[in-house]
């Protein structure tokens, strides 16, 4: 080159200064020129690369472009055709590090000092690509943000509008950019806008602004806004950018929370619940107004843990101290009730639920105490506790307290005595003067009992008309003396509703044994009381273990009796009723028997009272009635000479007072087909005495059915004659006790004559029961008795033996008549 520089060299030197690689290659892609920037970029000296291709040097591998584009072969084809190519692709330096470059590959036309056909100019764009990646990430963050990010220039025109803004406000970026922010803002205080603009002009951020914006559909939302200045490349203020978050729901929840807080404070006041917060050192404290009212603080008066402890009841302070020690030791939660003394002298019961709030180190930082005034509940609990341990009518201790007192004496090794006191025939008192009068009697009895016992003895009411007395360290003789004193004090008349009421009591006594418990002693006294009552009342009895064995046997008998009917253990025997003139049978009395599978035949005197007391007499009596009428009607139809036989069935008081008894009798007559006139229902005189409310309607219905009523055991009562006027009875059965004395006591015949005279005037038939001897028979005939029954003719006969006995008796009667 004579005095002139080649254009390629000149350009190469210029590009070398700005760090761009220039590589010259011949038409076979062999390097013919390698500037200093290429050496720095790829790590090869010019002497190492001349004559070698970039592929051989490993600079360009498979020629990977940064974006989809032509392959290396396609680029080589373009260059061969005289076309340029530029783009971004990956290269590798001597160490193997890959990095992006932007390059231009061009064919060279004309002749140059250096033989070059192709020139490749490239620049490392690693830093630019990194910046672009950062910008892309920032852009993606801006676009994906749920917040609205909006920028405006110095003229107040919107210059950027992200996807969050589009979602929040409804306008797309195309619709919003270039518009004034008035597109979505609403009028606010002008001084606020001016203050914000002033702070932006001074280069300050403005966080925490709240505004109300309008959406494209016209609805309003609340936003929290942070505004910051935006600067241009020259560092001058170019505008402002705002990040807005939709806080509509937050504000709604905040409003609801405020309202809920007000309601909570009101509810705390109504429920007498206060709040108290202590610092970890229990020094400073905050309290609610309701707590101040509960505690009795004056206006402006502060509160601390020490002051709360001072106002705590002295008996509860140690408890409160222990609770707070456990909290400060890390217990975390406490629940305690204690009493607080108010300045006015009043006392309140407080229920504290205390929770600790731990700091980062895990140690208590704060204590939150919710205080509930439970004074009314405590007062109610005391009333309920009193009621649970006392009788509501008399105020005496009830069975639960009595049991505790008695067990306490036993646990202390004392020898207590227990007395059950029961008022005899108290039902008549209630029926006679009403339940209010009966209640008055019970209260007066309780007062007399308290005066009769020793000081220190406990008088309680066990329920109904039963009272109980627990005496500490009392022996048998002293107990008998006290029982006599109790019976004597009750005998004095009671003045109630302008009437004098006379009462007696039965007393059962139980003395403590070595193995006794409160329950066993109470049970023993109860058993003894029933023994005294069964002896006629107005008596006392001392419990003995034999009573329990007897009661246990009776209980077993009761349990078995409940199953006897279903098991077919009950049966009927029949005793004939005889016409004394012809000695022909007139009918049979059905007699109930129980054949126990283990104990054999059980006497009716043993199980009938149990059936009466338990109510089992109702189903058993119904069975007896149906079975007797069925059997009696069968004999009437199948045995010659038996067509006029009657069937007598004993009826208990419980059956008689049952409202449906006439229906049961009517059903039995209908089901068995027997003539109602052949049915005799026998009612004992004692039943009439024990049932003062005997329903006349029942007896009248039975009479209308056509059945015959008989008064059994007549003469053992003392006031039944008045019943004969309306009972519509047909027969009187003279009790066997009068028959037994015939021929021995002249007065026995006189009683029978009186009964016969009364029966004749009332047109009643008379049957003598229990005839066993010919002498008795002769006296009865002399007195004019025409009907009788007893062992003289036959004992009770099992039903399957009756037909044979009946046929033989009919034949004998027929022979006598011949």
């Amino acid at each position: 080159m004579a005095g002139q520089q080649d254009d390629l060299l000149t350009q190469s030197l210029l590009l070398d200064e700005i760090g761009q690689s220039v590589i010259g290659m011949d038409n076979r892609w062999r390097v013919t020129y390698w500037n200093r920037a290429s050496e720095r970029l790829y790590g090869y000296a010019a002497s190492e690369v001349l004559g070698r291709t970039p592929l051989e040097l490993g600079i360009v591998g498979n020629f990977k472009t940064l974006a989809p584009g032509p392959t290396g072969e396609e680029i080589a084809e373009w260059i061969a055709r005289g076309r340029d190519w530029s783009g971004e692709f990956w290269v590798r330096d001597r160490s193997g590090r890959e990095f992006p470059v932007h390059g231009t590959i061009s064919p060279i036309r004309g002749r140059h000092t250096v033989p070059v056909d192709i020139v490749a100019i490239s620049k490392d764009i690693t830093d630019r690509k990194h910046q672009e990646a950062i910008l892309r990430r920032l852009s993606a963050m801006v676009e994906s943000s749920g917040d609205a990010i909006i920028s405006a220039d110095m003229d107040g025109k919107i210059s950027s509008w992200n996807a969050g803004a589009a979602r929040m406000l409804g306008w797309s970026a195309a619709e919003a950019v270039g518009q004034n922010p008035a597109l979505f803002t609403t009028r606010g205080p002008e001084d606020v806008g001016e203050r914000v603009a002033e702070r932006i002009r001074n280069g300050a951020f403005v966080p925490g602004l709240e505004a109300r914006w309008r959406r494209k559909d016209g609805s309003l939302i609340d936003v929290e806004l942070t505004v910051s200045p935006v600067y241009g490349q020259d560092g001058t203020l170019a505008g402002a950018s705002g990040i807005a978050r939709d806080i509509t729901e937050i504000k709604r929840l905040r409003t609801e929370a405020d309202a809920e807080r007000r309601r909570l404070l009101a509810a705390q006041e109504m429920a007498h619940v206060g709040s108290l917060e202590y610092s970890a050192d229990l020094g400073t404290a905050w309290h609610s107004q309701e707590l101040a009212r509960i505690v009795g603080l004056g206006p402006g008066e502060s509160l601390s843990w020490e002051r709360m402890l001072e106002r705590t009841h002295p008996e509860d302070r140690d408890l409160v101290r222990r609770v707070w020690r456990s909290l400060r030791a890390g217990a975390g939660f406490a629940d305690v009730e204690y009493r607080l003394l108010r300045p006015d002298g009043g006392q309140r019961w407080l229920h504290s639920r205390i929770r600790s709030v731990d700091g980062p180190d895990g140690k208590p930082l704060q204590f939150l105490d919710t205080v509930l005034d439970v004074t009314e509940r405590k007062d109610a609990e005391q009333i309920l506790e009193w009621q649970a341990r006392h009788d509501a009518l008399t105020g005496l201790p009830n069975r639960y307290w009595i049991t505790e007192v008695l067990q306490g004496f036993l646990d202390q090794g004392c020898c207590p005595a227990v007395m059950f006191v029961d008022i005899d025939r108290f039902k008549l008192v209630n029926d006679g003067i009403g339940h209010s009068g009966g209640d008055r009697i019970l209260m007066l009895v309780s007062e007399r009992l308290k005066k009769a016992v020793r000081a220190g003895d406990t008088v309680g009411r066990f329920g109904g008309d039963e009272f109980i007395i627990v005496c500490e360290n009392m022996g048998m003789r002293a107990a008998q003396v006290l029982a006599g004193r109790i019976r004597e004090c009750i005998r004095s008349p009671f003045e109630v509703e302008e009437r004098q009421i006379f009462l007696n009591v039965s007393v059962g006594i139980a003395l403590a044994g070595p193995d006794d418990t409160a329950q066993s002693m109470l049970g023993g006294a109860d058993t003894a009381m029933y023994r005294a009552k069964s002896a006629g009342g107005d008596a006392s009895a001392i419990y003995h273990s034999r009573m329990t064995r007897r009661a246990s046997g009776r209980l077993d008998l009761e349990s078995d009796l409940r199953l006897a009917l279903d098991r077919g253990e009950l049966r009927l025997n029949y005793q004939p009723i005889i016409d004394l003139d012809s000695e022909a049978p007139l009918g049979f009395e059905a007699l109930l028997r129980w054949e126990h599978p283990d104990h054999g035949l059980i006497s009716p005197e043993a199980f009938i009272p149990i059936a009466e007391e338990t109510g089992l007499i109702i189903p058993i009596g119904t069975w007896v009635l149906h079975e007797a009428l069925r059997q009696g009607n069968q004999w009437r139809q199948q045995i010659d000479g038996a067509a006029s036989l009657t069937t007598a069935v004993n009826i208990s008081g419980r059956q008689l007072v049952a409202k449906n008894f006439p229906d049961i009798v009517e059903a039995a007559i209908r089901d068995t087909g027997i003539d109602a006139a052949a049915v005799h229902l026998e009612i004992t005189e004692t039943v009439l005495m024990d049932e003062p409310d005997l329903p006349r309607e029942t007896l009248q219905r039975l009479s209308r059915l056509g059945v015959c009523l008989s008064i059994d055991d007549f003469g053992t009562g003392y006031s039944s004659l008045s019943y004969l006027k309306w009972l519509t009875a047909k027969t009187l059965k003279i009790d066997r006790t009068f028959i037994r004395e015939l021929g021995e006591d002249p007065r026995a015949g006189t009683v029978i004559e009186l009964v016969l005279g009364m029966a004749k005037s009332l047109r009643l038939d008379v049957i003598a029961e229990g005839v066993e001897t010919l002498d008795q028979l002769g006296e009865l005939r002399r007195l004019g008795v025409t009907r009788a029954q007893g062992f003289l003719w036959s004992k009770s006969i099992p039903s399957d033996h009756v037909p044979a006995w009946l046929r033989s008796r009919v034949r004998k009667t027929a022979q006598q008549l011949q």
Side-chain angles (χ1 to χ4, degrees):
M1 296 176 66
Q4 292 184 349
Q5 289 185 337
D6 186 272
D7 291 340
L8 178 61
L9 291 175
T10 302
Q11 292 176 5
S12 173
L13 291 173
L14 291 174
L15 292 174
D16 194 34
E17 293 298 325
I18 60 174
Q20 289 196 20
S21 165
V22 179
I23 303 174
M25 293 168 285
D26 62 17
N27 59 4
R28 298 176 67 179
W29 295 90
R30 291 176 298 188
V31 177
T32 58
Y33 179 79
W34 186 269
N35 71 344
R36 289 193 302 273
S38 299
E39 292 178 351
R40 292 192 298 270
L41 185 61
Y42 295 106
Y44 291 100
S47 60
E48 295 176 288
V49 300
L50 293 177
R52 302 173 65 187
T53 66
L55 189 60
E56 292 172 343
L57 293 171
I59 295 174
V60 292
N62 293 327
F63 199 81
K64 296 181 294 182
T65 57
L66 268 64
T71 63
E73 290 79 1
E74 291 175 332
I75 293 174
E77 181 66 24
W78 286 355
I79 299 301
R81 294 179 181 179
R83 296 174 58 186
D84 298 337
W85 179 86
S86 65
E88 296 176 354
F89 53 95
W90 288 94
V91 295
R92 184 182 297 110
D93 64 10
R94 187 170 193 166
S95 66
R97 178 181 68 91
E98 288 189 343
F99 54 92
V101 295
H102 182 277
T104 300
I105 304 174
S106 303
I108 299 299
R109 302 170 184 86
R111 295 184 60 84
H112 301 279
T113 303
V114 178
V116 174
D117 293 308
I118 302 168
V119 65
I121 302 172
S122 58
K123 180 176 178 61
D124 187 350
I125 58 172
T126 300
D127 291 340
R128 178 167 67 85
K129 285 297 181 182
H130 180 65
Q131 294 297 326
E132 287 177 355
I134 293 174
L135 289 175
R136 282 195 302 272
R137 286 196 296 270
L138 290 174
S139 177
M141 291 173 60
V142 169
E143 287 303 308
S144 63
S145 172
D147 296 334
I149 302 176
I150 303 169
S151 298
D153 58 21
M154 293 301 293
D155 295 329
K157 301 296 182 181
I158 298 172
S159 56
S160 68
W161 183 272
N162 75 332
R167 287 190 297 270
M168 182 184 296
L169 298 173
W171 286 281
S172 66
E175 294 173 308
V177 172
Q179 299 289 328
N180 190 283
L183 175 69
F184 55 86
T185 57
T186 59
R187 286 183 62 86
E190 294 183 1
D191 58 336
V192 173
E194 184 57 35
R195 288 200 304 272
V196 172
E198 179 63 26
R199 295 187 63 183
I200 292 298
R201 283 194 292 271
N202 292 331
F205 287 85
V206 185
L209 289 175
E210 288 192 7
R212 177 156 290 184
W213 284 0
R214 182 188 302 105
R215 301 179 76 253
K216 185 177 181 179
D217 60 9
S219 60
L220 299 177
I221 60 172
D222 292 300
V223 297
E224 184 179 62
L225 184 64
T226 297
V227 183
S228 58
V230 175
Y231 297 95
Q233 293 184 354
D234 57 357
T236 60
L237 184 65
S241 177
I243 300 176
R245 176 163 296 173
D246 187 347
I247 60 169
T248 306
E249 182 64 14
I250 295 174
K251 289 201 68 172
R252 184 187 68 79
L253 294 175
R254 188 183 302 159
T255 302
E256 289 183 358
D258 291 342
E260 184 64 25
R261 181 175 178 275
R262 290 191 296 271
R263 287 194 294 270
L264 178 59
L265 291 175
Q268 283 189 344
E269 183 176 353
M270 292 169 56
H272 306 309
V273 177
S275 299
L276 187 61
E277 297 179 9
Y278 295 107
S279 60
D281 59 3
L282 300 183
T284 58
W286 170 91
H287 64 269
S288 66
Q289 289 299 317
E290 181 59 20
L291 184 82
R293 188 200 64 76
I294 293 172
V295 175
L297 294 180
E301 192 173 357
S302 61
L303 194 63
S304 65
W305 182 80
E306 289 80 5
R307 295 198 63 184
M308 280 290 288
L309 190 62
E310 289 173 4
R311 296 193 176 190
T312 300
H313 193 287
E315 295 178 4
D316 297 337
R317 285 176 187 165
D318 286 342
L319 169 65
V320 173
R321 287 191 184 99
R322 287 197 303 271
V323 167
W324 279 101
R325 278 198 298 269
S326 68
L327 286 167
R328 299 182 74 178
F333 179 81
D335 197 317
V336 61
E337 288 186 354
Y338 57 96
R339 289 163 290 178
L340 194 83
L341 303 177
R342 289 167 53 95
D344 58 8
Q347 175 181 292
R348 309 299 294 178
W349 273 97
L350 304 185
H351 183 162
S352 281
R353 297 176 65 87
I354 311 165
R355 181 173 61 86
S356 63
V357 179
D358 295 340
D361 58 357
K363 296 180 179 179
L365 182 66
Q366 189 180 31
F367 299 100
L368 308 180
D369 188 0
T370 301
V371 181
L372 174 64
D373 187 343
V374 294
T375 305
E376 293 180 1
R377 192 200 77 196
K378 281 290 186 179
D379 292 343
E381 286 177 355
Q382 291 178 354
I383 293 173
L384 290 174
E385 183 178 359
W386 188 93
Q387 291 175 343
R389 297 165 65 86
H390 290 78
D391 173 57
L393 176 64
T394 62
L396 296 175
N398 60 16
R399 66 176 66 189
Y400 305 107
W401 192 1
I402 286 289
T403 303
E404 289 181 8
V405 171
L406 179 56
Q407 189 61 53
F409 286 152
L410 292 170
D411 293 342
Q412 294 166 19
C414 300
C415 295
V418 179
M419 297 187 185
F420 254 92
V421 180
D422 183 86
I423 302 174
D424 297 332
R425 298 175 67 84
F426 187 68
K427 182 178 184 297
L428 292 178
V429 176
N430 268 336
D431 293 342
I433 62 176
H435 287 285
S436 60
D439 288 346
R440 177 61 181 160
I441 289 285
L442 292 173
M443 289 188 285
L444 292 173
V445 168
S446 70
E447 293 299 324
R448 291 191 186 183
L449 291 177
K450 287 191 290 186
K451 293 177 181 178
V453 300
R454 308 173 306 176
D457 293 342
T458 303
V459 179
R461 185 181 177 206
F462 209 67
D465 60 341
E466 291 182 341
F467 293 85
I468 192 165
I469 300 170
V470 176
C471 307
E472 184 180 6
N473 290 323
M474 178 173 282
M476 181 183 297
R477 185 174 182 82
Q480 290 174 322
V481 171
L482 178 57
R485 189 162 67 243
I486 288 170
R487 289 163 50 207
E488 186 63 33
C489 80
I490 299 299
R491 288 194 186 103
S492 300
F494 292 85
E495 301 287 340
V496 177
E497 297 182 359
E498 301 181 355
R499 298 177 62 178
Q500 281 194 336
I501 307 297
F502 292 86
L503 298 177
N504 295 318
V505 294
S506 298
V507 182
I509 305 169
L511 303 174
D515 299 322
D516 265 322
T517 64
Q519 292 297 336
S520 67
M521 290 192 68
L522 291 171
D526 189 33
T527 301
M529 182 271 293
Y530 277 106
R531 168 58 63 88
K533 188 175 285 290
S534 65
D538 191 19
S540 60
I542 296 178
Y543 171 75
H544 190 275
S545 59
R546 288 192 299 271
M547 296 180 182
T548 297
R549 290 196 293 272
R550 189 178 296 111
S552 177
R554 186 182 186 279
L555 182 61
D556 293 340
L557 202 63
E558 176 185 325
S559 300
D560 291 344
L561 183 57
R562 293 182 181 275
L563 303 174
L565 187 59
D566 292 336
R567 291 175 175 175
E569 297 170 5
L570 300 180
R571 58 182 174 83
L572 294 179
N573 282 7
Y574 296 87
Q575 187 173 48
I577 300 171
I578 304 299
D579 183 341
L580 297 187
D581 292 335
S582 64
E583 293 201 4
L586 298 174
F588 290 90
E589 179 183 356
L591 301 173
L592 181 61
R593 297 292 183 263
W594 179 12
E595 190 72 39
H596 193 282
D598 298 324
H599 305 300
L601 192 64
I602 297 178
S603 168
E605 288 76 12
F607 71 84
I608 291 297
I610 297 176
E612 290 274 7
E613 292 177 16
T614 60
L616 292 172
I617 196 66
I618 300 296
I620 291 176
T622 301
W623 175 83
V624 169
L625 184 63
H626 277 75
E627 180 62 17
L629 298 190
R630 181 195 66 79
Q631 190 68 74
N633 192 50
Q634 183 179 356
W635 296 330
R636 284 163 59 94
Q637 292 178 349
Q638 297 178 358
I639 300 176
D640 293 338
S644 61
L645 287 178
T646 62
T647 301
V649 179
N650 292 286
I651 302 301
S652 75
R654 280 213 175 195
Q655 288 177 278
L656 200 58
V657 298
K659 292 182 178 180
N660 66 337
F661 181 64
D663 299 327
I664 293 173
V665 174
E666 185 176 5
I669 294 172
R670 182 182 63 249
D671 295 344
T672 60
I674 196 170
D675 183 359
V679 179
H680 287 210
L681 303 180
E682 296 191 358
I683 308 167
T684 63
E685 189 178 22
T686 53
V687 166
L688 300 178
M689 297 304 95
D690 292 339
E691 299 293 342
D693 297 328
L694 194 66
R696 296 191 183 189
E697 173 62 25
T698 295
L699 297 173
Q700 291 167 356
R701 281 191 60 192
L702 293 173
S703 180
R704 289 196 297 270
L705 286 174
V707 302
C708 300
L709 300 180
S710 300
I711 308 302
D712 198 9
D713 300 335
F714 189 77
T716 57
Y718 53 87
S719 61
S720 63
L721 297 179
S722 62
Y723 286 94
L724 299 179
K725 297 178 182 179
W726 56 270
L727 272 176
T728 64
K730 182 180 179 180
T731 305
L732 295 181
K733 299 185 75 171
I734 302 174
D735 188 67
R736 67 184 62 246
T737 57
F738 299 106
I739 308 302
R740 188 181 304 118
E741 295 172 354
L742 281 176
E744 299 176 3
D745 187 349
R747 291 174 294 182
T750 303
V751 173
I752 294 175
E753 285 180 333
L754 292 173
V755 173
L756 289 171
M758 180 192 64
K760 183 176 180 181
S761 65
L762 295 174
R763 297 180 181 178
L764 299 174
D765 295 329
V766 174
I767 299 175
E769 294 185 291
V771 180
E772 299 181 0
T773 67
L774 291 174
D775 290 340
Q776 293 171 349
L777 176 60
E779 281 295 307
L780 291 172
R781 283 175 171 168
R782 185 185 65 80
L783 293 170
V785 176
T786 60
R787 302 181 181 195
Q789 65 185 89
F791 290 173
L792 182 61
W793 296 280
S794 175
K795 294 184 178 181
S796 62
I797 308 170
S799 59
D800 56 346
H801 293 177
V802 169
W805 182 91
L806 195 55
R807 291 187 181 98
S808 67
R809 196 70 194 181
V810 170
R811 286 195 301 269
K812 183 177 180 180
T813 302
Q815 292 171 0
Q816 290 175 350
L817 292 176
Q818 291 176 357

